[in-house]
Amino acid sequence: RAMQKLIVTSSTYKQSSHASPELLAKDPDNMLLARGPAFRLTAEMIRDAALKASGLLSDKIGGPSVKPYQPDGLWSVNSEVYKQDSGADVYRRSLYTFWRRTNPPPSMSTFDAPLRASCIVQRQKTSTPLQSLVLLNDPQFIEAAKVLSVNSLKRYSEINDRIVYCYRSLTARKPSAKEMNVLEKLYSSQYEKFKTDPTKMKGWLNAGQYKIGKEKDLPAIAAGAVVASAIMNSDAFVTKR
């Protein structure tokens, strides 16, 4: 543990994975550790990062496995019923997710979590359209986006500040001017759509077990959730650089 802490807090490890043309020419294979690593987060890290950013992640340590959100009929192939947990158990770290080898959690499998039928040295890392579908449609991620939007609305009144808050919570950095421009346009278009047709925001507001309180500006919450979801689907969230 001490060695791991030394590595991840070192100036070498904390370097960006982006490198100048001169640096790439001098050290193309990064043998001199001239730049940091770049890799897509693992299945467990992606789910936990979304929950942590929204403030939903449970900090409880230990205890039995839990059954978070999963698709309906998940265990029907074995003539059994998947009984989803409720309350704080839904937000336990992915380490505690109940795992059945014949029916592994689909969202984790999509992000290359191993099947656990045999030991592996290194996980496969892919980038597929199915991964985007999970981030866009899985109740766990939609709910996290909704709660993050609620939290931003409680803290800030200005749209720009709320967007920056969501972005920093998910990526640990501020958005660039180009990224900010795109997200502002997305928020404005979604806000107008939800104000014109409130029925279109029900999916964003009703996802998961978290219930929205007495917040009055529901279109703002839904539009913020769309922005947070867009950030979750970006390289800035899923890739460690």
Side-chain angles (χ1 to χ4, degrees), residues 13-18 36-39 41 235-236 238-241:
Y13 183 86
K14 289 189 288 186
Q15 293 180 117
S16 171
S17 61
H18 298 289
F39 56 85
L41 301 181
D235 177 85
V238 301
T239 305
K240 190 270 181 194
R241 294 193 178 279

Side-chain angles (χ1 to χ4, degrees), residues 7-238:
I7 292 173
V8 300
T9 57
S10 67
S11 57
T12 302
Y13 183 86
K14 289 189 288 186
Q15 293 180 117
S16 171
S17 61
H18 298 289
S20 63
E22 295 79 15
L23 197 59
L24 287 174
K26 183 181 295 184
D27 186 19
D29 297 323
N30 202 28
M31 297 297 293
L32 303 176
L33 302 180
R35 57 186 180 275
F39 56 85
R40 199 207 67 220
L41 301 181
T42 63
E44 295 88 346
M45 288 179 179
I46 288 176
R47 177 178 174 274
D48 290 356
L51 290 175
K52 180 65 176 179
S54 65
L56 289 172
L57 186 67
S58 171
D59 58 1
K60 179 181 177 182
I61 297 177
S65 298
V66 295
K67 297 183 176 70
Y69 305 124
Q70 297 295 350
D72 293 334
L74 179 66
W75 288 357
S76 59
V77 67
N78 297 108
S79 301
E80 294 189 27
V81 178
Y82 180 87
K83 295 181 180 179
Q84 177 186 302
D85 284 324
S86 60
D89 285 346
V90 173
Y91 311 120
R92 296 293 307 278
R93 288 162 52 201
S94 301
L95 171 70
Y96 299 106
T97 298
F98 184 88
W99 197 290
R100 186 169 185 165
R101 285 191 299 173
T102 55
N103 296 100
S107 60
M108 291 195 187
S109 296
T110 303
F111 282 99
D112 304 317
L115 296 177
R116 301 189 179 182
S118 59
C119 179
I120 64 170
V121 177
Q122 185 175 5
R123 293 190 182 193
Q124 181 182 13
K125 295 175 183 177
T126 63
S127 180
T128 69
L130 284 177
Q131 294 168 358
S132 295
L133 288 175
V134 169
L135 294 174
L136 285 169
N137 298 286
D138 191 308
Q140 197 84 85
F141 293 100
I142 299 177
E143 182 183 31
K146 174 184 68 174
V147 177
L148 184 56
S149 177
V150 171
N151 294 340
S152 69
L153 196 61
K154 289 179 179 178
R155 286 170 169 79
Y156 302 102
S157 58
E158 295 296 326
I159 296 174
N160 290 2
D161 292 335
R162 299 205 297 268
I163 293 176
V164 171
Y165 172 81
C166 291
Y167 198 96
R168 292 194 68 181
S169 298
L170 290 166
T171 67
R173 69 172 176 85
K174 291 184 178 181
S176 65
K178 183 178 180 180
E179 291 168 331
M180 195 67 187
N181 183 50
V182 171
L183 294 174
E184 286 175 351
K185 290 181 179 179
L186 175 62
Y187 179 91
S188 298
S189 64
Q190 294 300 304
Y191 183 78
E192 291 302 321
K193 181 180 74 173
F194 293 142
K195 285 199 68 175
T196 304
D197 187 358
T199 60
K200 292 186 176 181
M201 62 182 178
K202 288 184 177 179
W204 292 99
L205 301 179
N206 298 332
Q209 66 177 10
Y210 182 92
K211 302 301 180 184
I212 296 177
K214 297 181 180 179
E215 288 83 2
K216 296 181 180 180
D217 199 349
L218 295 181
I221 295 175
V226 173
V227 170
S229 178
I231 298 171
M232 288 182 191
N233 276 271
S234 69
D235 177 85
F237 174 70
V238 301

